[in-house]
């Protein structure tokens, strides 16, 4: 007889349903969630993780999967648009200062052009 | 604020070892900060396992990549749920059902997931029916194995992705009753 003693809520899918439910309920205006919906979401989440990992692995060129591989996947695929703010590409501090300086320069230039009297 | 309260036992912030103990990432990293809804994550061990199964056997995954996927997962769930919840509200219903989730996935561009999910849900429902009917599982329930799903997926390269071999046991699904019940459509 093979009924495993499961971790709580992890029967069919490999994720704890109770936790999935909490995350779902954190969305506004969510009242009740049917067991079907919970199962579907949980399974979909597994599929999502698998897909994201597979794609990141492709980018990783046989090395370990790193943050930047995930950032690459997400920034190249429209379907993952909602993740672009979650996984922005990282830049080095040096690059940040370069960027900031060039932005500062263009702001200075445009305020010169306007001949603003505000000082 | 209704709809946004959590039972207190989930707000336990584990103040020891928050850096290494990513399993405890249920609240913000500093327990002193106010609890934020978007910081609810699925356990990193589960996520890491699914990731590992999706890549070739010798593939490695950096820790910050796992944590990153943890965040993406929460974002994904919220994203789909919002859409599903909108549809539900439009139809003046209070319970999000499986169809709402599937519909949301289609709307948001996750079409390839729909058919496999439908199959999965059907099997889940069948299992529950069987359970209700008093059948007892003697052996590993084959009919919810991933083999069928794998076949269906293979055209979309999802084949290697489906590796969960959890057995069906709805009694332990975390639902203590079937009220708010499954809607067979």
């Amino acid at each position: 007889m093979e009924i495993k003693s499961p971790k709580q809520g992890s029967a069919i899918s490999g994720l704890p349903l109770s936790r999935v439910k909490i995350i779902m309920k954190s969305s506004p205006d969510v009242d009740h969630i049917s067991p079907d919906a919970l199962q579907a979401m949980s399974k979909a989440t597994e599929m999502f993780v698998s897909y994201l990992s597979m794609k990141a692995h492709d980018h990783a060129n046989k090395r370990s999967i790193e943050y930047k591989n995930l950032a690459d996947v997400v920034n190249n695929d429209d379907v993952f648009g909602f993740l672009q703010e979650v996984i922005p590409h990282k830049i080095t501090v040096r690059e940040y200062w370069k960027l900031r300086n060039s932005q500062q320069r263009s702001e200075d230039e445009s305020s010169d052009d306007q001949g603003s009297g505000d000082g | 604020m209704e709809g946004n309260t959590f039972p207190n036992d989930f707000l336990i912030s584990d103040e020891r070892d928050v850096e290494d103990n990513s399993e405890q990432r249920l609240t913000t990293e500093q327990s002193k900060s106010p609890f934020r809804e978007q910081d609810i994550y699925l356990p990193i061990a589960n996520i890491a396992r699914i990731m590992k199964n999706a890549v070739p056997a010798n593939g490695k995954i950096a820790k910050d990549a796992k944590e990153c996927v943890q965040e993406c997962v929460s974002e994904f769930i919220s994203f789909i749920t919002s859409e599903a919840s909108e549809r539900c509200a439009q139809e003046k219903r209070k319970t999000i059902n499986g169809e709402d989730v599937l519909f949301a996935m289609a709307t948001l561009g996750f079409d390839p997931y729909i058919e496999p999910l439908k199959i999965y849900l059907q099997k889940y429902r069948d299992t529950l029916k069987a359970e209700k009917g008093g059948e007892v599982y003697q052996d590993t329930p084959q009919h919810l194995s991933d083999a069928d799903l794998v076949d269906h997926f293979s055209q979309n390269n999802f084949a290697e992705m489906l590796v969960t071999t959890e057995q069906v046991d709805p009694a332990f699904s975390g639902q203590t009753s079937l009220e708010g019940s499954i809607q067979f459509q």
Side-chain angles (χ1 to χ4, degrees):
Chain A
M1 173 76 117
E2 275 291 313
I3 297 186
K4 294 199 264 186
S5 72
K7 301 194 174 108
Q8 188 208 340
S10 67
I12 299 177
S13 77
L15 296 169
L17 293 177
S18 52
R19 195 80 70 85
V20 174
K21 191 170 190 174
I22 291 177
I23 302 176
M24 290 179 80
K25 286 209 145 190
S26 72
S27 277
D29 302 322
V30 169
D31 258 333
H32 297 292
I33 300 168
S34 78
D36 260 17
L38 193 54
Q39 287 292 338
M41 182 63 84
S42 195
K43 196 65 182 174
T45 301
E46 286 184 51
M47 291 162 60
F48 168 75
V49 171
S50 296
Y51 183 70
L52 191 53
S53 305
M54 243 170 48
K55 287 283 169 182
H57 176 77
D58 291 344
H59 282 260
N61 287 331
K62 302 198 189 217
R63 302 212 183 103
S64 51
I65 295 179
E66 309 211 344
Y67 176 95
K68 64 174 188 280
N69 306 129
L70 293 163
D72 285 341
V73 172
V74 152
N75 287 287
N76 287 329
D77 192 340
D78 285 340
V79 131
F80 293 130
F82 69 101
L83 289 174
Q84 277 165 10
E85 284 182 17
V86 179
I87 336 185
H89 278 295
K90 289 180 177 170
I91 60 176
T92 62
V93 173
R94 187 176 303 175
E95 285 165 346
Y96 168 73
W97 284 114
K98 248 201 232 166
L99 208 61
R100 216 188 107 166
N101 289 336
S102 70
Q103 272 174 3
Q104 191 64 50
R105 251 180 274 127
S106 49
E107 276 167 30
D108 291 343
E109 279 162 18
S110 64
S111 69
D112 282 345
D113 288 344
Q114 287 162 15
S116 78
D118 291 341
Chain B
M1 187 162 49
E2 52 202 1
N4 283 319
T5 52
F6 299 90
N8 280 331
D9 44 327
F10 289 106
L11 293 182
I12 296 167
S13 56
D14 192 16
E15 291 185 273
R16 29 162 205 160
D17 222 2
V18 173
E19 280 165 353
D20 282 338
N21 210 352
S22 305
E23 287 86 347
Q24 302 301 335
R25 286 212 316 173
L26 196 56
T27 63
T28 52
E29 286 175 351
Q30 294 315 316
S31 53
K32 298 185 174 60
S33 322
F35 175 75
R36 295 187 305 168
E37 291 154 5
Q38 60 265 39
D39 292 335
I40 300 253
Y41 302 120
L42 294 180
I44 202 167
N46 298 64
I47 294 192
R49 182 178 13 110
I50 301 172
M51 290 181 78
K52 264 202 148 95
N53 287 334
V55 299
N58 56 352
K60 292 203 180 2
I61 306 166
K63 184 177 178 202
D64 64 350
K66 294 180 198 172
E67 289 171 355
C68 175
V69 173
Q70 249 190 328
E71 292 176 27
C72 292
V73 158
S74 295
E75 199 66 30
F76 172 78
I77 294 174
S78 297
F79 188 50
I80 305 287
T81 302
S82 287
E83 188 69 29
S85 156
E86 257 187 52
R87 180 178 188 232
C88 209
Q90 273 167 17
E91 300 189 358
K92 309 253 196 304
R93 286 181 281 112
K94 294 207 168 225
T95 302
I96 299 181
N97 61 29
E99 289 299 317
D100 293 324
V101 172
L102 295 181
F103 187 81
M105 303 203 70
T107 307
L108 296 171
F110 294 97
D111 302 69
Y113 291 44
I114 309 261
E115 284 309 312
L117 283 176
K118 281 186 179 168
I119 296 173
Y120 178 78
L121 279 182
Q122 191 52 54
K123 293 188 170 183
Y124 169 70
R125 292 164 181 163
D126 290 346
T127 305
L128 289 176
K129 266 201 262 187
E131 177 76 5
K132 268 179 146 179
E135 288 177 21
V136 176
Y137 291 112
Q138 299 298 335
D139 293 306
T140 308
Q142 291 298 332
H143 59 275
L144 204 75
S145 77
D146 286 321
D148 297 331
L149 290 175
V150 166
D151 286 343
H152 194 96
F153 269 156
S154 57
Q155 58 193 327
N156 288 320
N157 273 334
F158 278 104
E160 294 93 72
M161 286 165 34
L162 278 189
V163 292
T164 172
T165 55
E166 298 291 336
Q167 297 175 33
V168 178
D169 202 341
F172 296 107
S173 70
Q175 307 289 331
T176 52
S177 74
L178 290 178
E179 70 171 27
S181 52
I182 302 135
Q183 301 173 26
F184 292 98
Q185 305 199 2

